[in-house]
Amino acid sequence: MSYLVMECHPAYAVVLDNEGRYIKAANLNYETGQTISTIIQMRESGKSAGVRAKIAPLASMAACLCLILFCTWQFILTPYGTVRMQINPDIVMSVNRMDYVIGLEGKNEDGKRLLDGYRYRHKKVEQVADELADRAVELAYLTDGGDIYLIFDSKHEKWKLNMEDRMLTELEVHFQGKVKVTVGEKPRAASVPASEKNTETTKPSSQKTGDIQTTPQQSSENQQRPTPQGTSGNHNYEDDKDEDDMDEDDQEDQDDDNDDAKDELEDQNDAEESDEDTKSDGQDGEFENDADDQDDEIEDDADNQDDEFENDADENDDSNDSDNISVTENSLDDDDDSDDDELENDVDLDED
Amino acid sequence: MKEEHKISSDVRAAQQDMRLADELIHQYQPFIKSETAKFLKRPVTEGLDDEYGIAMFAFYEAMMSYRSGKGSFLKLAAISIRNRMIDFYRQEKRHMGIIHYEQEVDSWEKGTMLDNLKDDRDEIGDLDNRLASQSEIEEYSRQLATFGISLSDVADNCPKQERTMRVCMSVLAYARENSSLLEELVRTKKLPMADLVEGSGAERKTLERHRQYIVAILLAYTNGYEIIRGHLYQLSAKEVDKV
């Protein structure tokens, strides 16, 4: 680029470049008509510079504000990890970097029901977990001796480990040990072999947690793990409660039937075991098998006697008590009379 | 305080009038020399030291950007001069160690380096060309003055943004194709705005905003300014469109 000096002043010169621009530059002893290759151009001044001087700070402030908002959004609203809580309801809590819950999702029908109407904003994950667990108790999803399963998911291992410790401690302290809290996925409902029969947490949760008050529909849902279906937004917990109360009586009968079924199953398993045992070699095995058979027979007899006793008791309760009593009284009287007669006869014989 | 007030009013007046600006610079030459000498740590030789020209240029910039009520003008001028000196020093640092042509030769030969160096250039031819350019540019300035415009005004009014420059070049290209418009410009001493807007497709607002520049550039393409057009001669019709 070359510049033609058009006008010279003491402090500056006006030059014309090849592209038709007129520029004010420093006058380094130039002369009009001189062609030069480099210039020291004047910095902007006047109105345009004034306007730009006002706009530039505003623009930089706006840019800083956008940056701050973006960082805040990243910090607060971006999920840092998730906590999945499985009782019978299955819910997932999205947690941000500051351990505040930023999202809640019900993974099954019960989960959605549990979350219906619940507000989680501005609450920490421990508080939400406590409140949801209390809600589960209120709605009879969780009882004393029930189980809560927690699953943590995050790219940050430290956070996961830290959250596991905190949540375990929080829930155990909150329930004072009445509810068992486990880290890991809730086991799926399956048939329980007799050898593994256990009152601890290894039992299928659908059978264990809240099994006193779960409805047949709920237990079947848990066993099959259906995908959550859409539910209406307006749902009345009180109606559910009434339905649950009405179903309690039916549930007791159902439980009795379940117990009977269990016993039958155990018997079948015993029979299978004994068959297997007889096939094995060794006297010790046979001796043990015989001992086991005797024990089983004794247990069966005891169970049968218990059942008979219960049935008799039920029959007595159901029938007209007074008639029975009178019959027995009469029979007792007759016996007494006969005994007395015999005694008298004996006395008579002795006297003779 | 009174002196400060007087300086502020003088600076405000110089911002509006080019002639007053030159007078104020002339008035404060001792101040400018003093500031330059402080930076260089030696006396300043007028006409020889580029730093002196830079300092005067910086003083002029401070004068144009000064706003009364924002402090002392002389302090602003001193800071502006110092900053410009530093920038110039950094720019010229790579040329340190170069001997000046006007430096006297330390040998038995008399005169300066320039006198003793061989020069194949046609100094007389260059001088003739320069004198011709000067006379043409002076005529050009006189013609502009009839429009009430000075070259300083044209420099201030010149578009800074590329897209605005492209619009102005499109107006120039249209005017070159329709020489009657250029003749009308010289005859009436007025810019045929309506025809230019309609023909070039540019916005009237843009043309109004850069009126003085458009007059100057159209005038350069009227008769009698071959040297100026020769300097712009690289701009063919296609390149005008590109710019």
Side-chain angles (χ1 to χ4, degrees):
Chain A
M1 182 77 74
S2 65
Y3 304 88
L4 178 64
V5 179
M6 302 291 283
E7 195 177 67
C8 290
H9 292 264
Y12 66 94
V14 178
V15 300
L16 175 66
D17 70 3
N18 297 125
E19 290 177 355
R21 290 190 184 86
Y22 288 80
I23 303 164
K24 278 186 179 176
N27 182 5
L28 304 179
N29 301 314
Y30 298 147
E31 289 179 4
T32 305
Q34 183 181 354
T35 303
I36 50 179
S37 56
T38 56
I39 58 168
I40 296 173
Q41 200 166 339
M42 188 172 173
R43 288 184 189 129
E44 279 188 32
S45 63
K47 283 184 184 177
S48 61
V51 168
R52 286 185 192 181
K54 285 178 187 173
I55 289 173
L58 289 173
S60 60
M61 274 170 58
C64 288
L65 192 64
C66 287
L67 191 65
I68 289 167
L69 286 173
F70 178 74
C71 292
T72 307
W73 174 78
Q74 281 277 14
F75 205 70
I76 290 177
L77 296 178
T78 306
Y80 201 71
T82 57
V83 178
R84 187 169 181 175
M85 192 160 82
Q86 294 176 318
I87 307 170
N88 188 10
D90 189 355
I91 55 161
V92 174
M93 296 180 269
S94 297
V95 182
N96 70 2
R97 202 184 270 262
M98 295 165 70
D99 297 334
Y100 280 87
V101 174
I102 56 172
L104 271 181
E105 185 190 353
K107 284 289 185 188
N108 58 8
E109 286 295 319
D110 294 334
K112 290 181 183 179
R113 216 171 287 156
L114 185 70
L115 297 178
D116 195 15
Y118 176 71
R119 288 188 178 183
Y120 61 87
R121 293 214 180 269
H122 311 298
K123 289 181 184 174
K124 289 226 170 183
V125 61
E126 292 97 333
Q127 182 183 354
V128 171
D130 288 343
E131 287 176 1
L132 287 176
D134 290 341
R135 251 196 162 196
V137 170
E138 285 171 17
L139 295 173
Y141 289 124
L142 182 63
T143 57
D144 288 352
D147 275 290
I148 297 176
Y149 293 87
L150 299 172
I151 304 160
F152 302 89
D153 185 29
S154 174
K155 292 176 193 173
H156 311 275
E157 282 302 317
K158 268 191 179 177
W159 180 87
K160 269 174 73 173
L161 293 170
N162 185 31
M163 192 55 66
E164 279 177 17
D165 291 337
R166 283 166 54 188
M167 290 296 284
L168 274 173
T169 311
E170 177 65 32
L171 286 169
E172 282 173 1
V173 166
H174 183 74
F175 285 102
Q176 296 172 346
K178 292 177 187 173
V179 167
K180 183 156 180 153
V181 184
T182 312
V183 173
E185 199 167 343
K186 184 178 173 184
R188 291 171 184 263
S191 62
V192 181
S195 61
E196 294 179 5
K197 182 179 176 182
N198 199 347
T199 54
E200 295 300 326
T201 58
T202 53
K203 284 173 81 176
S205 59
S206 62
Q207 294 293 326
K208 189 176 189 303
T209 56
D211 59 357
I212 293 170
Q213 295 185 5
T214 52
T215 61
Q217 287 179 351
Q218 289 173 351
S219 59
S220 65
E221 281 177 357
N222 289 332
Q223 287 177 8
Q224 295 171 9
R225 287 185 177 268
T227 56
Q229 297 174 1
T231 55
S232 63
N234 300 323
H235 195 85
N236 196 347
Y237 277 116
E238 292 180 356
D239 291 339
D240 286 337
K241 270 194 179 176
D242 292 336
E243 288 177 4
D244 289 340
D245 290 334
M246 286 163 58
D247 289 334
E248 273 183 20
D249 294 332
D250 294 334
Q251 187 59 33
E252 284 180 6
D253 292 336
Q254 184 71 22
D255 289 339
D256 289 336
D257 292 337
N258 288 336
D259 289 337
D260 291 337
K262 273 190 197 175
D263 292 336
E264 287 178 6
L265 192 63
E266 286 168 7
D267 291 338
Q268 285 177 5
N269 289 330
D270 289 339
E272 288 173 2
E273 281 183 9
S274 63
D275 289 340
E276 288 175 1
D277 289 338
T278 51
K279 288 177 186 174
S280 66
D281 297 329
Q283 292 179 350
D284 290 337
E286 290 178 358
F287 181 78
E288 286 175 359
N289 289 336
D290 291 335
D292 287 337
D293 289 337
Q294 287 176 0
D295 289 336
D296 290 336
E297 285 176 3
I298 292 167
E299 283 180 11
D300 289 339
D301 291 335
D303 288 339
N304 290 333
Q305 285 177 1
D306 288 339
D307 289 336
E308 286 175 1
F309 183 77
E310 284 176 4
N311 290 333
D312 289 336
D314 289 336
E315 288 173 1
N316 287 329
D317 290 336
D318 291 335
S319 63
N320 190 347
D321 295 335
S322 61
D323 290 337
N324 285 331
I325 291 168
S326 65
V327 165
T328 52
E329 282 177 356
N330 289 332
S331 62
L332 281 171
D333 287 338
D334 287 337
D335 288 336
D336 286 338
D337 287 340
S338 63
D339 285 333
D340 288 339
D341 288 337
E342 286 178 3
L343 191 61
E344 285 175 6
N345 290 333
D346 289 334
V347 171
D348 290 345
L349 286 171
D350 286 335
E351 286 178 356
D352 291 345
Chain B
M1 277 295 286
K2 282 185 181 177
E3 197 172 327
E4 198 62 45
H5 186 70
K6 184 180 178 306
I7 292 172
S8 296
S9 63
D10 288 343
V11 168
R12 272 200 305 276
Q15 287 173 351
Q16 309 299 328
D17 191 342
M18 183 184 63
R19 194 170 51 81
L20 289 175
D22 291 343
E23 283 179 14
L24 194 65
I25 289 168
H26 186 76
Q27 185 182 342
Y28 279 92
Q29 267 190 350
F31 170 79
I32 297 168
K33 269 187 187 174
S34 151
E35 291 297 319
T36 311
K38 274 184 198 174
F39 183 84
L40 293 175
K41 296 183 176 57
R42 61 172 172 82
V44 176
T45 308
E46 193 172 339
L48 200 63
D49 288 320
D50 289 340
E51 288 84 350
Y52 182 61
I54 300 290
M56 281 206 291
F57 187 60
F59 186 87
Y60 177 74
E61 281 182 326
M63 210 163 55
M64 289 297 127
S65 62
Y66 176 71
R67 298 286 175 267
S68 58
K70 292 207 172 185
S72 164
F73 166 72
L74 290 178
K75 278 187 184 173
L76 173 66
I79 292 166
S80 178
I81 289 168
R82 183 176 171 74
N83 289 342
R84 269 290 185 188
M85 290 292 186
I86 291 168
D87 292 342
F88 181 73
Y89 178 74
R90 283 176 186 161
Q91 191 179 342
E92 294 297 311
K93 200 176 175 183
R94 61 182 179 274
H95 300 308
M96 295 289 275
I98 294 174
I99 303 167
H100 201 283
Y101 281 139
E102 299 292 335
Q103 190 173 346
E104 284 192 0
V105 180
D106 294 330
S107 70
W108 60 273
E109 292 176 356
K110 290 180 184 176
T112 63
M113 287 275 291
L114 189 62
D115 297 331
N116 291 285
L117 278 173
K118 258 188 181 178
D119 191 3
D120 294 330
R121 288 186 304 175
D122 184 9
E123 291 285 344
I124 295 169
D126 288 344
L127 182 64
D128 288 338
N129 290 336
R130 200 182 302 173
L131 288 173
S133 300
Q134 273 183 9
S135 63
E136 188 175 297
I137 289 168
E138 283 170 8
E139 173 60 26
Y140 177 71
S141 296
R142 276 196 290 275
Q143 271 280 45
L144 271 179
T146 61
F147 287 87
I149 301 170
S150 68
L151 283 168
S152 295
D153 297 333
V154 173
D156 291 335
N157 196 240
C158 183
K160 304 289 186 290
Q161 290 188 355
E162 279 298 323
R163 63 167 183 255
T164 316
M165 196 65 182
R166 257 182 262 126
V167 170
C168 295
M169 287 297 121
S170 68
V171 171
L172 173 64
Y174 177 73
R176 284 175 71 186
E177 289 168 8
N178 300 276
S179 55
S180 59
L181 292 172
L182 293 174
E183 288 166 9
E184 188 185 339
L185 172 72
V186 174
R187 190 178 69 248
T188 62
K189 305 292 182 201
K190 285 181 183 177
L191 196 63
M193 189 66 77
D195 293 329
L196 288 171
V197 167
E198 192 181 338
S200 64
E203 283 186 13
R204 192 182 183 91
K205 201 168 141 186
T206 307
L207 299 188
E208 288 287 353
R209 202 176 286 158
H210 299 283
R211 188 190 194 91
Q212 290 165 339
Y213 171 76
I214 290 171
V215 166
I217 201 74
L218 288 183
L219 192 65
Y221 279 87
T222 58
N223 287 333
Y225 304 112
E226 286 80 16
I227 295 175
I228 293 173
R229 276 203 300 276
H231 181 74
L232 297 173
Y233 186 66
Q234 293 169 31
L235 291 172
S236 62
K238 288 180 184 175
E239 286 182 1
V240 163
D241 295 333
K242 272 186 196 174
V243 170

